[in-house]
């Protein structure tokens, strides 16, 4: 039987978060309305950490995100972190910088042999993304196998795999600190709201991830094969007033909630506040996603578009001593 | 023909906001992700104002709400305002207090003969409220007629009328400053997101309100009759840990998005994070609404319940000189 073993997984994935910890963390954080939850797989005791232990209020996503960026060496937070590199961390350092460095010390350092084996970073979104599993690269076979397992087992909502094609060194999310990692997006869910249906989907995805790791570490052979993924092509901004940059249109009702559906020439994209429809003019058919995500307004992103592609992944099995 | 004229409407409702102003204001404010927009009907020039001209960022509802409360003499903001009553307003006074007093001066003073004729306060909500028209009292026949008109004309979404049964003197929303007033809630829409479908519904409601006022001021007789309304009975909180007050359950998937549907004994209310269902135990059948509104978590409200009631409103016609 052909067998592939990642060089990083010579002894199996160092193991499990305790499920009760995940549950407790999620309940707590969700009440506060904060979007991001970090679920880290490390040794048999299991740890689950929150990137934010500071005084951030409800419905404020971005301080967390900056913290994440500081960990990973990109983005605005990272710029601040780079400026401070070599400077002592003091009580007066911005919270995001301090927390980022703590996380990198705890889970990394990024790129080192000491880094944690696998981080799975849990998000939700106002977009109708179903369950979307996001990778930086198309060569992390361990986590791609986990995604394939989730696609097989989860039937209540669509499960898509998105590949950003960004080098890990440029990646800015927490999971890029670990040797293997991916993030999970589930939506639609408004910021500041807990929805039981979304919670149940996320919990199922986490449970199945742990299930896969158990099986892998127990010697199960996971057969290779083809899997459907989406590759990020580019972002599209809202229609805006050229001078004031204020919105002049919203996502068209025919595009709203149609994440991952096919977008073809002539399809409506935006409906202006004065009633005109703006259509998709390009010849290439693509798949929009993250349509109308609340956190992306300020980034100038109305939605992303991606292209469907098939990936072939090898069979994997833990390496025996 | 029987004819009723409100004592406040002896010369007709002092007239119109310019539609383009409403449109411009909405576009601008929606981009910022702020929820509240004030639409004021006053004289032939028309004015449309925003309660927030301060530096409040996106997705922060509460500063606005405090400003509104200060105007109207109730709630936390009003407490602050009362404490400062008689004190000069300075640059260092909290923004909410300054803006509240400006609004009361501009649109009121509340309860005086100088107060503006009609304020319609536009909100959106994360709850699946369709188009809900909210009144403090069941005796404001002018605005109840407007609501009845909206119920007749709008067919795309359900249009419900909610009566809070709170004396105007205790009311804390901006529309209570005017002689007549009601607020409009449209949902579901996440905070910080513009949805074209929601925008279109709100615009239709505003257009029809102006249409009604035009007709009323032109002498149209609006026949009285019965109308279905919901009366607020009480609020229900989320299930919480008695010590930490953190949530132990979310709205049950079978209740989520079922605003204004009938709630009867044995129906599920919450699903705990450990998987148990909490049912509705009371004998009285009621109608839940504002289910899972993001802004109500911190107020200890998972949803309100109301009772359906029929109101009989008289015929109204403008009083001729």
């Amino acid at each position: 039987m052909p067998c592939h073993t990642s060089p990083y997984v010579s002894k199996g994935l160092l193991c499990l978060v305790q499920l009760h910890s995940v549950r407790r963390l999620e309940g707590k954080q969700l009440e506060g309305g904060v979007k991001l939850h970090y679920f880290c797989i490390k040794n048999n005791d299991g740890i689950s950490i929150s990137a934010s232990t500071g005084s951030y209020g409800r419905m404020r996503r971005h301080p967390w995100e900056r913290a994440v960026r500081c960990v990973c060496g990109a983005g605005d937070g990272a710029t601040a972190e780079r400026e401070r590199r070599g400077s002592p961390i003091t009580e007066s350092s911005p919270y995001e910088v301090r927390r980022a460095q703590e996380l990198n010390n705890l889970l990394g350092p990024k790129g080192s042999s000491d880094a944690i084996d696998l981080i799975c970073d849990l998000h939700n979104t106002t977009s109708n993304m179903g369950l979307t599993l996001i990778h930086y690269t198309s060569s992390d076979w361990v986590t791609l196998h986990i995604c394939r397992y989730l696609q097989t087992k989860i039937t209540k909502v669509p499960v898509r795999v998105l590949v950003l094609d960004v080098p890990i060194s440029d990646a800015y999310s927490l999971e890029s600190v670990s040797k293997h990692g991916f993030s999970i997006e589930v939506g639609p869910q408004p910021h500041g709201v807990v929805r039981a249906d979304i919670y149940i989907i996320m919990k199922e995805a986490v449970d199945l991830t742990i299930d896969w790791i158990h099986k892998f570490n127990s010697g199960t052979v996971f057969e290779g094969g083809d899997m459907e993924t989406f590759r990020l092509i580019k972002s599209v901004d809202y229609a805006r007033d050229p001078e004031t940059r204020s919105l002049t249109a919203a996502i068209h009702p025919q595009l709203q909630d149609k994440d991952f559906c096919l977008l073809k020439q002539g399809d409506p994209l935006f409906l202006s506040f004065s009633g005109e429809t703006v259509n998709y003019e390009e010849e290439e058919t693509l798949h929009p996603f993250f349509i109308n995500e609340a956190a992306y307004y300020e980034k100038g992103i109305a939605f992303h578009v991606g292209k469907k592609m098939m990936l072939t992944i090898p069979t994997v099995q833990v390496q025996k001593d």
Side-chain angles (χ1 to χ4, degrees), chain A:
Chain A
M1 180 186 299
C3 172
H4 173 81
T5 308
S6 158
Y8 296 127
V9 197
S10 60
K11 303 292 183 188
L13 286 165
L14 289 174
C15 197
L16 290 202
V17 70
Q18 298 296 317
L19 249 187
H20 67 86
S21 302
V22 176
R23 199 174 290 135
R24 187 159 48 79
L25 175 69
E26 287 213 4
K28 227 186 239 172
Q29 295 298 340
L30 286 169
E31 183 199 12
V34 178
K35 282 185 49 164
L36 304 184
H37 308 283
Y38 299 109
F39 153 54
C40 307
I41 296 175
K42 187 178 186 182
N43 69 49
N44 284 315
D45 294 334
I47 58 166
S48 69
I49 60 146
S50 158
S52 170
T53 54
S55 59
Y56 296 108
R58 61 199 302 277
M59 289 184 293
R60 297 192 196 178
R61 171 179 174 171
H62 298 99
W64 284 58
E65 199 167 63
R66 284 196 297 276
V68 172
R69 290 180 172 195
C70 294
V71 172
C72 310
D76 297 340
T79 305
E81 196 273 339
R82 273 195 293 271
E83 283 169 5
R84 285 170 181 77
R85 199 166 286 168
S87 308
I89 301 293
T90 67
E91 281 300 309
S92 64
S93 300
Y95 170 77
E96 297 91 333
V97 173
R98 283 183 284 131
R99 187 62 179 149
Q101 296 208 359
E102 286 165 14
L103 290 175
N104 196 35
N105 291 339
L106 178 65
L107 307 172
K110 178 176 176 175
S112 75
S113 61
D114 289 337
I116 202 165
D117 278 336
L118 192 151
I119 297 175
C120 178
D121 188 2
L122 313 184
H123 296 234
N124 57 42
T125 168
T126 59
S127 305
N128 185 26
M129 295 278 277
L131 183 62
T132 303
L133 313 166
I134 306 180
H135 280 73
Y136 280 99
T137 76
S138 54
S139 58
D140 184 347
W141 296 320
V142 167
T143 49
L144 285 169
H145 264 284
I146 296 176
C147 295
R148 201 171 179 225
Y149 188 69
L150 268 55
Q151 285 182 319
T152 314
K153 298 284 184 184
I154 293 176
T155 54
K156 282 181 206 144
V157 292
V159 183
R160 283 101 170 196
V161 177
L162 177 62
V163 177
L164 301 178
D165 259 337
V166 170
I168 290 291
S169 54
D170 293 347
Y172 56 77
S173 287
L174 183 69
E175 73 274 16
S176 70
V177 170
S178 58
K179 296 189 183 97
H180 305 271
F182 65 106
S183 63
I184 301 181
E185 286 278 356
V186 189
Q189 176 167 286
H191 289 197
V193 163
V194 187
R195 282 187 66 109
D197 52 355
I198 298 290
Y199 176 83
I200 289 166
I201 292 164
M202 184 66 93
K203 185 174 176 310
E204 189 175 358
V206 171
D207 288 346
L208 286 167
T209 299
I210 292 168
D211 188 33
W212 188 93
I213 294 166
H214 263 305
K215 288 182 174 171
F216 180 80
N217 284 349
S218 305
T220 303
V221 175
F222 291 93
E223 297 289 341
D226 291 339
M227 64 186 291
E228 183 186 279
T229 62
F230 294 88
R231 186 190 302 260
L232 172 67
I233 300 295
K234 65 176 179 179
S235 308
V236 178
D237 194 8
Y238 295 90
R240 293 179 190 268
D241 181 286
E243 283 184 14
T244 65
R245 304 297 298 149
S246 61
L247 295 201
T248 58
I251 295 289
H252 195 282
Q254 288 181 46
L255 180 63
Q256 177 71 49
D257 303 327
K258 299 296 189 304
D259 298 70
F260 293 106
C261 295
L262 199 67
L263 184 65
K264 56 188 193 306
Q265 199 172 30
D267 285 346
L269 295 182
F270 298 105
L271 182 64
S272 82
F273 296 125
S274 50
E276 292 90 40
T277 294
V278 178
N279 291 319
Y280 178 66
E281 299 297 354
E282 296 180 35
E283 280 183 23
E284 188 178 27
T285 54
L286 291 172
H287 298 264
F289 53 88
F290 276 121
I291 298 170
N292 218 353
E293 159 54 41
Y296 288 172
Y297 278 69
E298 69 181 21
K299 295 175 196 283
I301 299 169
F303 54 89
H304 296 297
V305 283
K307 196 167 177 60
K308 201 181 276 189
M309 64 175 187
M310 294 305 289
L311 272 186
T312 304
I313 56 173
T315 296
V316 295
Q317 184 180 18
V318 71
Q319 183 178 305
K320 308 288 182 191
D321 283 328

